[in-house]
Amino acid sequence: MIARCMMVAVAILLTSPLRAENTFPGLYPANPALSAADIIRETYAAAGGESWRRPKTLRMDGYAVMYRDGAPVLYDAYTMLRVYDWKKDAAHAADGKVRIEAFREGKRVFLIAFDGKTTYDMNGPIADPAANAQWASNFGFGAIRHALDEGWSQKRLPDDLVDGRPVYMIELVDPSASVTRFGIDQETYQVLYVGFDTPRGWHERRYSHFFTRPGVDWVQPGRVRLFYNGVKQNEVIWTDFELNAALPESLFKVEPPRSDP
């Protein structure tokens, strides 16, 4: 008798969309009439419109913690510079220009840059021709900005939760057949999650603590947590950003250090 009652209760739950949706957000599809493309358009509008979808440059400043064998390493200043290139057929290939550097107690301790052709570290150009391939473990978020471009496809996956917040899950496929998945907050349309395969394993990022600057439509996540194969590797706290500032070419080229005579 008890077993029969339990089976009836489970059947009612599974066949009652209203109850399932209200009781367990993310269990039952929210707004099923919304297509993946509809959700992406709402995401663009919520993030800043066309200025977010097609920025020219971006500078982000903050600090970071990198985990090495589980032990935290603090960088008290952390900066990323980006110059965007909008001819993007592969979501996880290096494109445009990027410079990432980290400081501890005023001393630069880490630097990596890409000028569109060559990857650099603190010692100048990296001679290994495979150096550019490492960016495949880092590039991926920008896929959302190309989701509605020609040659890309998009579809809804089962809704879910990210840090307890109900999200629409979207899968994008670029012209090279690479897959990128996004979790979009069902209320704010902020991007809370991105996941994609990399040479280092399945990579996930979780975004939170969004903020803006006066006079700028851009909405910036203030906290980014990065995971590989389910283990947190890095955490970046962004405290400021600048959109579409002039970033000279020289910032993305690193000369080898001079030897004292």
Side-chain angles (χ1 to χ4, degrees):
M1 183 66 177
I2 294 176
R4 183 178 179 183
C5 291
M6 291 180 65
M7 291 175 65
V8 171
V10 170
I12 291 173
L13 175 63
L14 295 179
T15 57
S16 174
L18 180 61
R19 181 175 177 181
E21 184 178 11
N22 290 347
T23 306
F24 298 104
L27 176 63
Y28 190 82
N31 300 314
L34 282 178
S35 69
D38 293 333
I39 294 166
I40 290 163
R41 292 187 188 97
E42 293 290 343
T43 299
Y44 293 161
E50 195 64 17
S51 65
W52 185 87
R53 181 172 174 261
R54 288 291 189 264
K56 297 176 181 177
T57 71
L58 179 65
R59 177 189 179 107
M60 296 184 290
D61 296 289
Y63 59 95
V65 177
M66 308 293 174
Y67 293 90
R68 302 292 179 260
D69 296 323
V73 178
L74 174 64
Y75 297 130
D76 50 34
Y78 193 79
T79 297
M80 177 182 290
L81 308 179
R82 283 287 278 128
V83 174
Y84 293 94
D85 179 358
W86 296 115
K87 299 176 182 178
K88 194 174 185 70
D89 294 324
H92 310 299
D95 67 82
K97 301 178 179 64
V98 61
R99 177 186 176 106
I100 303 170
E101 55 187 329
F103 298 81
R104 190 179 301 117
E105 297 179 351
K107 181 180 179 181
R108 187 170 66 192
V109 294
F110 173 82
L111 170 65
I112 189 167
F114 178 70
D115 66 2
K117 295 181 179 180
T118 303
T119 298
Y120 303 79
D121 61 15
M122 292 178 65
N123 297 312
I126 300 177
D128 184 351
N132 290 351
Q134 67 181 299
W135 295 105
S137 296
N138 297 276
F139 280 73
F141 181 88
I144 191 73
R145 297 187 169 99
H146 296 270
L148 303 180
D149 290 0
E150 184 178 355
W152 289 64
S153 65
Q154 61 289 135
K155 68 177 181 179
R156 284 188 68 167
L157 300 178
D159 292 357
D160 206 348
L161 301 176
V162 172
D163 294 338
R165 296 168 65 175
V167 297
Y168 301 113
M169 292 299 300
I170 303 295
E171 181 175 276
L172 306 181
V173 180
D174 67 26
S176 73
S178 293
V179 171
T180 312
R181 296 179 182 137
F182 288 86
I184 311 297
D185 188 286
Q186 292 179 3
E187 181 178 353
T188 66
Y189 287 93
Q190 293 169 339
V191 179
L192 303 187
Y193 170 92
V194 62
F196 51 93
D197 198 19
T198 78
R200 293 178 60 182
W202 182 254
H203 179 40
E204 297 176 314
R205 299 181 196 172
R206 295 173 183 261
Y207 301 89
S208 60
H209 298 80
F210 294 80
F211 68 98
T212 59
R213 290 186 58 185
V216 182
D217 292 332
W218 183 281
V219 179
Q220 173 67 35
R223 184 179 188 180
V224 185
R225 291 171 290 152
L226 297 89
F227 301 77
Y228 287 95
N229 296 323
V231 179
K232 185 166 72 171
Q233 299 292 320
N234 307 336
E235 187 160 359
V236 182
I237 306 299
W238 298 120
T239 57
D240 198 8
F241 69 90
E242 187 175 10
L243 182 65
N244 295 336
L247 298 178
E249 178 77 18
S250 59
L251 289 172
F252 304 95
K253 298 180 182 293
V254 182
E255 297 296 331
R258 295 183 179 179
S259 300
D260 294 331

